[in-house]
Amino acid sequence: MRRGRAAPAGPARRGAVAWLTGLPSSGKSTLGRRLAARLRAAGRPAALLDSDALRAALGRPAGRGPAERAAFYRALARLAALLARQGLLVVVAATASRRAFRARARALAPAFLEVHLATPEATCRRRDPKGLYAGAAAGRVRGLPGAGAAYQPPLRPDVTARGGRDAAALEAALAGLVSLADRAGAAQPARRTGTRRRPKRPGAASKRPARVRPQAWQRPSGVSR
């Protein structure tokens, strides 16, 4: 490659967000872990944002009233979009009970895939690994989506899963997220690499050799002055 020429290095890689939504205990965390693991095994940089783990990592878990939930999901959507713009494939496992929460996340992300964990409510109540439904029945947990608070399922999800171990849904989410990220990257202008020619400084002398006019005694005979 000639010095001073810049060669295209291909499109800049962009990330994407897969938001896994569903009732509490529907299998979001299970599917999220499996999806993130498959992405990493395929050599794709991935981040898993599980809402419960994120609340614990914050040190002071956010409240679960309507205003606190709205603020938490706004922050989660911004964080997911920020990571995606840095080239990560972000898997979000969070109920986000209102469609408006997920619509905001879609608007912020460079590319977005909505995965609905359509596990029946009766199955979620029977599982109840964290005791949320039992706590709601006893009055200890208030505002739980599906038990005291409404849950708005997606109208047109990109992928529908029948639980966290739905193998077909896992493959569909994997393929969809990778495809979205590749298309988002292809839409970006190509980066250029190589050595740039330094601009000439004003007043700098040219390196081209000066032309010297031959003296009279150097001219061929018969050539007049």
Side-chain angles (χ1 to χ4, degrees):
M1 184 173 65
R2 292 173 57 186
R3 183 178 179 83
R5 291 288 182 89
R13 175 167 287 183
R14 296 296 296 270
V17 175
W19 196 292
L20 281 53
T21 179
L23 288 170
S25 305
S26 59
K28 299 182 297 295
S29 298
T30 299
L31 185 60
R33 287 192 296 267
R34 296 176 67 203
L35 180 55
R38 286 290 300 278
L39 289 167
R40 293 173 186 136
R44 296 280 185 155
L48 174 60
L49 298 179
D50 185 282
S51 61
D52 289 333
L54 188 57
R55 287 175 185 272
L58 292 176
R60 293 191 305 172
R64 296 180 183 271
E68 291 85 358
R69 285 183 186 275
F72 175 75
Y73 287 125
R74 279 197 303 269
L76 185 54
R78 290 170 183 164
L79 176 59
L82 176 65
L83 294 177
R85 292 194 190 99
Q86 297 180 44
L88 291 176
L89 298 183
V90 185
V91 180
V92 180
T95 300
S97 56
R98 295 176 57 191
R99 296 188 186 104
F101 297 154
R102 302 182 307 262
R104 179 180 180 84
R106 184 186 291 273
L108 292 174
F112 189 86
L113 186 82
E114 187 175 40
V115 181
H116 180 210
L117 276 291
T119 307
E121 181 181 337
T123 303
C124 297
R125 288 178 176 274
R126 186 172 62 252
R127 289 175 179 171
D128 200 17
K130 301 171 185 176
L132 297 176
Y133 290 99
R140 297 190 303 272
V141 177
R142 296 183 180 181
L144 182 70
Y151 171 74
Q152 298 175 341
L155 298 176
R156 291 179 296 274
D158 300 296
V159 178
T160 299
R162 304 298 174 184
R165 300 198 175 277
D166 187 331
L170 173 61
E171 296 301 327
L174 177 66
L177 189 57
V178 169
S179 177
L180 280 175
D182 288 345
R183 290 204 304 268
Q188 301 303 310
R191 295 174 299 180
R192 302 187 68 84
T193 60
T195 305
R196 294 184 178 180
R197 181 177 295 176
R198 294 181 179 179
K200 186 176 178 180
R201 291 177 298 174
S206 174
K207 295 183 179 179
R208 185 177 296 175
R211 296 179 63 184
V212 180
R213 185 175 183 179
Q215 301 298 319
W217 59 271
Q218 293 177 312
R219 296 193 187 96
S221 59
V223 178
S224 60
R225 188 171 180 177

